[in-house]
Amino acid sequence: MSTTERPRILVVGGGYVGMYAARRILKKMRYGEATVTVVDPRSYMTYQPFLPEAAAGSISPRHVVVPLRRVLSKAEVLTGRVTSIDQDRKVATVSPLVGEPYEVPFDYLVIALGAVSRTFPIPGLAEHGIGMKTVEEAIGLRNHVLEQLDKADSTNDEEVRRKALTFVFVGGGFAGAETIGEVEDMARDACKYYNNVRREDMRFILVDAADKILPEVGPQLGRWGLEHLQKRGVEVYLSTSMESCVDGHVVLKNGLEVDSDTIVWTAGVKPNPALARFGLPLGPRGHVDTEPTLQVKGTDYIWAAGDNAQIPDLAAGEGKWCPPNAQHALRQAKVLGDNVISGMRGFPQTEYKHANKGAVAGLGLHKGVAMIVLGKKMKLKIKGRLAWYMHRGYHGLAMPTWNRKIRVFADWTLGMFLKREVVSLGAMENPRGEFYEAAAPVSAVAEDSRPKARAS
């Protein structure tokens, strides 16, 4: 990390809001006016709306992430975590990937930590659940599902087959519905290449505590999405929840019990718990409490936006908050960046106001729903192939940088002519396994080969 006597703008988090806000600041800033420092545990930003397609093999996993050092070439990018913030001294403590923690002074602060999976103390969930918040989890889910097909195809044990071919998804929002739609589509294609696995042998289960799925697109399209998944053989259980999944034995509150080796958890998100250590004013659900200008309440040098912030939705009316989606995050990041520059130069702040433009969701190849807001009382509701095109078009254009846009559209174009890959690369999660087995003493290999609980 370099040192400088110029004012430092510290951006905590390199996700969607953090990366876009830093880009905006760098673009608007005069040469040498300030130093922009971005801190994140990962050296890349993940475009999360594409994770279901990455899990299904429609997009290369490397194309849904944006390298921070390339995009923010004029900023300092530190790979680590901000563990505490001393507002009196204006100093943040950074814990790097290796080595001792160190302090980074700042003059202006941007909080963009995003959200993490919202989980509950359900027995067995930590040991057997698979999340869908990171590209690593998307790759792991794809490899895992294909491994289950390999397992089922190569055994005559009906109990093992049944457990391997049962896939449970908890959460019926965007993440859950899109992921089960994409994965079911992939598994349907993949089973064509197996002698002993048919789609009829598989069991896909979607569970949600609410009485509907896809609430973001409205009740009518949500019902269509529900009926569409059911026609594809997906069992949907609403107004219920998972009580336990110890050793893969899933018990639902409605009394259903199944054995499954695949339990995908997409039941919502919550603000990053690290916020509690920063001494910032928090709302009732743990979000940073901000003014409409995105300034943290009670401060004039700290801003927050995105999933970790509680931002008044001026377009929706009194008492409403901006929903945590990419549509708001992109626009908030631009306003935040402009306000940081204005604050640094002593100019007035701009309030964030953006009316909802609608929502799109993909449910597998050529399947989707879209709700487009045309006015206060006009909403265009689309389903099927056209909605799927709109889903891809919107998110393809929203993908940061032309480099990644071109790569994503190239993946889609090739997918029109070439069949989807159905190869599992699960060994990538432990690439040294075979070498270790060849090089290590026999006793050590035997000891290390004992079954271990799989992390989420």
Side-chain angles (χ1 to χ4, degrees), residues 31-45:
Y31 178 77
E33 187 174 6
T35 297
V36 177
T37 301
V38 180
V39 182
D40 194 274
R42 293 180 173 85
S43 61
Y44 51 84
M45 185 281 289

Side-chain angles (χ1 to χ4, degrees), residues 116-416:
V116 299
S117 295
R118 181 185 62 190
T119 58
F120 303 100
I122 298 173
L125 179 60
E127 294 79 11
H128 301 283
I130 303 172
M132 272 295 287
K133 284 289 293 176
T134 68
V135 68
E136 294 87 355
E137 289 173 326
I139 298 170
L141 176 60
R142 170 179 168 76
N143 290 331
H144 176 79
V145 169
L146 292 174
E147 283 178 354
Q148 300 313 301
L149 302 188
D150 290 339
K151 184 192 300 185
D153 187 63
S154 60
T155 183
N156 294 321
D157 189 320
E158 281 304 316
E159 185 176 340
V160 171
R161 278 175 53 85
R162 187 163 50 251
K163 189 173 183 181
L165 296 178
T166 299
F167 308 96
V168 178
F169 292 72
V170 183
F174 269 154
E178 289 189 317
T179 302
I180 196 171
E182 293 285 356
V183 171
E184 191 275 339
D185 223 19
M186 178 190 72
R188 184 185 294 271
D189 283 348
C191 71
K192 299 173 185 177
Y193 303 98
Y194 291 87
N195 293 325
N196 301 315
V197 176
R198 299 174 303 163
R199 173 60 183 92
E200 293 76 16
D201 300 328
M202 303 180 204
R203 188 176 184 184
F204 283 85
I205 298 173
L206 178 62
V207 181
D208 198 287
D211 61 355
K212 56 189 173 184
I213 68 169
L214 292 171
E216 299 90 346
V217 296
Q220 184 178 341
L221 290 176
R223 283 193 299 272
W224 184 88
L226 170 63
E227 294 168 0
H228 170 77
L229 290 175
Q230 289 174 328
K231 287 179 182 177
R232 288 164 59 180
V234 176
E235 300 174 39
V236 183
Y237 298 99
L238 302 178
S239 301
T240 192
S241 56
M242 185 171 69
E243 293 193 330
S244 70
C245 56
V246 177
D247 296 328
H249 182 70
V250 177
V251 179
L252 301 185
K253 195 173 183 179
N254 64 1
L256 179 69
E257 297 187 24
V258 297
D259 289 320
S260 173
D261 281 331
T262 309
I263 301 165
V264 183
W265 183 268
T266 59
V269 296
K270 63 181 180 181
N272 195 307
L275 295 171
R277 301 193 298 269
F278 292 175
L280 302 171
L282 303 180
R285 302 175 72 178
H287 300 79
V288 180
D289 201 5
T290 75
E291 302 286 356
T293 59
L294 308 180
Q295 285 179 308
V296 175
K297 285 191 174 180
T299 73
D300 59 1
Y301 64 95
I302 306 177
W303 292 261
D307 294 357
N308 67 182
Q310 178 178 277
I311 300 168
D313 191 344
L314 300 182
E318 187 73 24
K320 301 293 185 180
W321 310 103
C322 294
N325 57 36
Q327 181 182 157
H328 278 287
L330 173 60
R331 290 167 174 82
Q332 287 169 5
K334 292 180 179 178
V335 174
L336 188 153
D338 290 345
N339 280 348
V340 170
I341 295 295
S342 296
M344 187 167 57
R345 296 174 182 171
F347 296 146
Q349 298 282 291
T350 301
E351 292 186 339
Y352 172 75
K353 184 177 181 180
H354 170 68
N356 179 34
K357 298 299 182 183
V360 291
L363 299 173
L365 286 175
H366 311 138
K367 315 166 191 78
V369 292
M371 186 270 291
I372 311 301
V373 178
L374 301 176
K376 289 186 177 181
K377 296 184 179 180
M378 283 192 64
K379 294 181 180 179
L380 183 63
K381 300 172 184 177
I382 306 169
K383 53 185 182 288
R385 185 183 288 262
L386 179 58
W388 177 76
Y389 283 131
M390 296 177 71
H391 160 76
R392 283 199 161 182
Y394 173 79
H395 286 298
L397 294 175
M399 183 71 189
T401 78
W402 280 104
N403 180 303
R404 286 305 186 262
K405 283 182 174 68
I406 293 170
R407 291 176 186 271
V408 166
F409 278 101
D411 285 341
W412 288 337
T413 303
L414 289 173
M416 296 169 60

